[in-house]
Amino acid sequence: MMVLLFVVAILEAIYGVPNPRTDPSLNHISWLIIDNPPVSRAIVACSYLFVCTFAVTWGPTSWTYASEIFPTGIRAKAVSLATASNWAWNCALAFAVPTLFQKINWRMYIVFGVFNLCAFAQVWLTVRETKGKTLEEMEEVFESGRPAWRGVSRGSRLDRLQRDIAEGTVKVRLSGRRYQEL
């Protein structure tokens, strides 16, 4: 995604020009690509690819990751705060970006590309892998003391218990409505 933003910035910096404001119907546009359809198509293609990439990667992450990482006792409140924060930042962007595009034009893509670079570093260093873990095991994942980039052990306790039962090293019986290890 970062690369797509930088490509758009480079194309607009090289082939774009400030709007001379000679056509009143274009006064709301600050930057133009004039008489260069291939560059215009490339910018549109990169924009669509950015949206598509975001929609299948980062878009759903703000909803799913927040619902996985918090302990059961505070999960509902924490996800509510994460959702409110997500919407507040989206609202701030909706108001700020048009003004910034008017003021700094193609450089806005550089700003967002740098944000993507910073987000990559932040995720690499701090976001823990939750794949294969149950919601109940999240506290164990975060309290393990391992750095986020080193990952966690594969599989969950349920996977290990299922394997042990299949191998016959653990026996279980139904006692009332609960299973007990023998």
Side-chain angles (χ1 to χ4, degrees):
M1 291 178 9
M2 174 183 62
V3 171
L4 294 169
L5 291 169
F6 287 142
V7 167
V8 170
I10 290 167
L11 290 174
E12 288 196 16
I14 293 171
Y15 297 102
V17 295
N19 186 358
R21 310 266 187 229
T22 56
D23 184 353
S25 66
L26 298 177
N27 278 346
H28 62 286
I29 297 173
S30 63
W31 199 254
L32 302 170
I33 305 293
I34 299 174
D35 296 328
N36 201 331
V39 170
S40 297
R41 286 188 197 102
I43 290 171
V44 170
C46 286
S47 299
Y48 278 120
L49 286 171
F50 175 86
V51 170
C52 292
T53 305
F54 179 83
V56 297
T57 57
W58 288 109
T61 302
S62 63
W63 304 99
T64 56
Y65 195 71
S67 66
E68 291 178 349
I69 63 172
F70 293 107
T72 307
I74 63 166
R75 185 171 295 132
K77 290 179 183 175
V79 171
S80 297
L81 289 173
T83 302
S85 173
N86 183 25
W87 282 104
W89 283 106
N90 285 338
C91 183
L93 282 172
F95 283 107
V97 168
T99 304
L100 288 172
F101 266 125
Q102 290 290 325
K103 302 290 184 203
I104 63 175
N105 302 310
W106 59 269
R107 292 171 194 88
M108 192 66 197
Y109 292 102
I110 299 291
V111 170
F112 281 120
V114 170
F115 283 162
N116 272 246
L117 180 64
C118 293
F120 175 80
Q122 186 262 332
V123 167
W124 181 261
L125 296 173
T126 64
V127 176
R128 299 188 182 272
E129 176 63 67
T130 61
K131 179 181 173 186
K133 300 293 182 185
T134 65
L135 292 176
E136 292 76 18
E137 293 174 316
M138 284 300 108
E139 286 183 54
E140 181 182 310
V141 168
F142 285 92
E143 293 174 357
S144 69
R146 293 180 64 129
W149 62 87
R150 298 191 80 197
V152 294
S153 61
R154 298 284 179 220
S156 70
R157 287 186 305 228
L158 294 177
D159 294 334
R160 289 189 297 274
L161 181 60
Q162 181 182 9
R163 186 185 62 242
D164 292 345
I165 291 170
E167 292 172 355
T169 57
V170 173
K171 303 263 189 235
V172 293
R173 69 180 164 126
L174 184 60
S175 171
R177 294 185 156 227
R178 298 184 58 168
Y179 287 100
Q180 296 178 335
E181 286 187 39
L182 297 177

